[in-house]
Amino acid sequence: MKLITEVAAEAGIVEQHLELYGKYKSKLSPSLWQDIQHKPDGKLVLVTAVNPTPAGEGKTLTTIGLAQALNAAGVRTVAALREPSLGPCLGMKGGATGGGKSQLVPSDDINLHFTGDIHAVTSAHNLLAAMIDNHMFHGNELKLDPQRMVWKRVMDMNDRSLRSIVTGLGDGNGTVRESGFQISTASEIMAVLCLCENLEDLKERMGRILIGYDQSGRPVTARELGAVEAMTALLKEAVKPNLVQTLEGTPAIVHGGPFANIAHGCSSVIGTRYALKLGEVVVTEAGFGADLGAEKFMNIKCRQAGLVPSAAVLVVTVKSLKYNGGIHKEQLGSENREALRAGLCNMERHIENLGKFGVPVVVAINHFAGDTEAEVEEVLAACRRLKVPAAVSRVWAEGGAGGLALAGELKKLLAGDRKDRYAPLYADGLDIPGKINTIVREIYRGNEAVFSPAAKRSLAVIERLGLQQLQVCMAKTPYSFSDQPRLLGAPEGFTLGVRDITLSLGAGFAVVVTGNIVTMPGLPATPAAEGMRVDADGKICGLE
């Protein structure tokens, strides 16, 4: 592992622009932006994937490996990724920094507390929650309606027991009311941090945050409560992007961590802008399958920030396609070309959907040791039929060298003599139901969205407040195009149940809650935390 000062120097960053957190990680100072803001932007490449399966698809792994491969091929490349949350790291999936010979380092630091950004988001969010309750306790000058407060609390851990709580119990402890917890990555503060342009924009966006309604039904914001300056004080360091490296010394800007199934699933706009000035190519990723992360990257992040993606990489695996073809996870290691062919519809749907944004696609077949040549050839043949370039990626086993074929295919796309044709899927002027149904029909291939009584009430509030210009952020299961996790492959003709719609005015979108999705995950029967060990020298084992 190189010193982070060396990595920065190789990326053209002088040490005065670094705010060091030890030897191997650093914040990037706003002074760097003053030096680089007039440089031309590099080309932005999104790495996305088919719907996730229990075998894992390797989207972050591929992002890291591809960045290494492009650098090895002589293309100055920077990776831009999200920060891992403690919830999944200690719960369902373990660490989120890649693996094998394609990972971010120092991986343990990044997976755990890193530079404290997510903790700062947690503190700022909970400060606002505390100030709401305190305001009502001390006279309630704003006449807040305790039953119509929408701002909950957060923590960066999976804990289903905290989804629904009652606060204020006992004399002198405040107004008794129902509330609850979300995971910190679902906080609107996290979304605002990742969508803002700078500290002033962060402050402006936080001022617009809806905390609830007064007794006459008027919406009340964080600005009216006088909370914004103190929240900004807690976030003034977190707004600065973090610089780390891959195992091969490729610079990586890791900043922000919203989930893609319950939030917008992209790393920060600020970090992406820095990367675009530092690299000829920026390889970034968006969470879960392309029906979630890529859709939100195109419709929310790129639209709000004015970013123009040049290409997309769709990560597929032989195992994921067999799973979508109906094979149980215990049987995925055995060759089954019939199931593989049945599951190809999932890949084909994602390729077609990405084309609707006007962005060219290359397929990365993330190779597992048990994949047979015949199975890999089935996937390559399908890509040839679809006239989509594809390459086998062996970046886990071989690092950048294992991604050179993929890098070569991507370079051809980026060198193509074509004008950028990127466009969001829906127009800002479309009303909220229209935006939802556009995504349901065009991306999910359902018939329509069906709104619950609670969702209809929320739509009425949106209409009353004149908020139809908001974008929509779909909160949906990642495992299926539908809202039913077990409906695999490429289903069509279903209805999508919308349970509720919440307003994230600072982030600029309405969160559309579908099916049984929850914003506070629970731990699995056997959490990843049970497999962790710390030896006498402080080395962590099992966080991977």
Side-chain angles (χ1 to χ4, degrees), residues 480-495:
S480 171
F481 280 104
S482 72
D483 58 353
Q484 304 164 55
R486 296 182 181 178
L487 195 57
L488 303 179
E492 295 181 351
F494 54 86
T495 58

Side-chain angles (χ1 to χ4, degrees), residues 462-477:
I462 289 170
E463 185 173 359
R464 175 172 66 86
L465 298 178
L467 297 173
Q468 301 288 3
Q469 81 283 357
L470 294 173
Q471 291 138 29
V472 295
C473 181
M474 305 296 290
K476 181 186 76 69
T477 177

Side-chain angles (χ1 to χ4, degrees), residues 120-133:
V121 167
T122 302
S123 295
H125 184 114
N126 290 336
L127 170 65
L128 180 55
M131 290 182 70
I132 292 168
D133 288 331

Side-chain angles (χ1 to χ4, degrees), residues 207-260:
R208 300 199 301 264
I209 287 173
L210 176 70
I211 62 169
Y213 301 85
D214 69 13
Q215 293 165 9
S216 69
R218 184 185 67 85
V220 182
T221 65
R223 181 179 291 109
E224 295 176 73
L225 202 64
V228 173
E229 292 295 334
M231 293 162 67
T232 306
L234 290 170
L235 292 166
K236 71 179 184 67
E237 297 303 312
V239 77
K240 301 171 184 175
N242 308 294
L243 179 68
V244 289
Q245 62 187 298
T246 73
L247 281 174
E248 296 181 9
T250 293
I253 293 177
V254 180
H255 194 217
F259 290 170

Side-chain angles (χ1 to χ4, degrees), residues 24-201:
Y24 304 111
K25 53 188 186 290
S26 178
K27 287 282 185 185
L28 296 176
S29 169
S31 64
L32 173 61
W33 183 250
Q34 301 304 315
D35 271 13
I36 64 176
Q37 62 180 316
H38 299 300
K39 291 185 176 181
D41 283 349
K43 294 185 176 181
L44 183 60
V45 175
L46 173 70
V47 177
T48 183
V50 294
N51 291 101
T53 69
E57 284 59 59
K59 181 164 42 59
T60 302
L61 168 83
T62 302
T63 304
I64 296 165
L66 176 58
Q68 293 182 152
L70 285 165
N71 269 311
V75 181
R76 192 174 71 256
T77 304
V78 178
L81 295 125
R82 291 174 297 159
E83 302 179 39
S85 162
L86 290 179
C89 281
L90 299 174
M92 183 67 74
K93 56 189 279 190
T97 54
K101 293 186 176 180
S102 292
Q103 59 179 296
L104 299 174
V105 287
S107 58
D108 287 352
D109 289 4
I110 298 166
N111 278 318
L112 296 178
H113 305 289
F114 200 19
T115 57
D117 294 345
I118 296 181
H119 296 318
V121 167
T122 302
S123 295
H125 184 114
N126 290 336
L127 170 65
L128 180 55
M131 290 182 70
I132 292 168
D133 288 331
N134 189 61
H135 182 88
M136 289 190 286
F137 182 78
H138 289 291
N140 197 6
E141 182 181 346
L142 291 172
K143 297 186 174 9
L144 301 177
D145 183 347
Q147 306 308 314
R148 298 198 67 193
M149 292 296 100
V150 299
W151 193 255
K152 298 183 178 182
R153 286 170 169 80
V154 298
M155 65 180 293
D156 189 32
M157 187 57 60
N158 294 3
D159 193 339
R160 65 175 56 81
S161 297
L162 291 176
R163 287 173 186 163
S164 298
I165 64 170
V166 176
T167 62
L169 295 181
D171 291 342
N173 291 322
T175 303
V176 177
R177 65 184 183 91
E178 293 183 6
S179 187
F181 274 77
Q182 301 170 309
I183 194 164
S184 296
T185 49
S187 168
E188 186 180 354
I189 304 292
M190 178 63 81
V192 163
L193 179 75
C194 288
L195 289 169
C196 73
E197 298 282 347
N198 49 45
L199 192 65
E200 286 305 309
D201 188 33

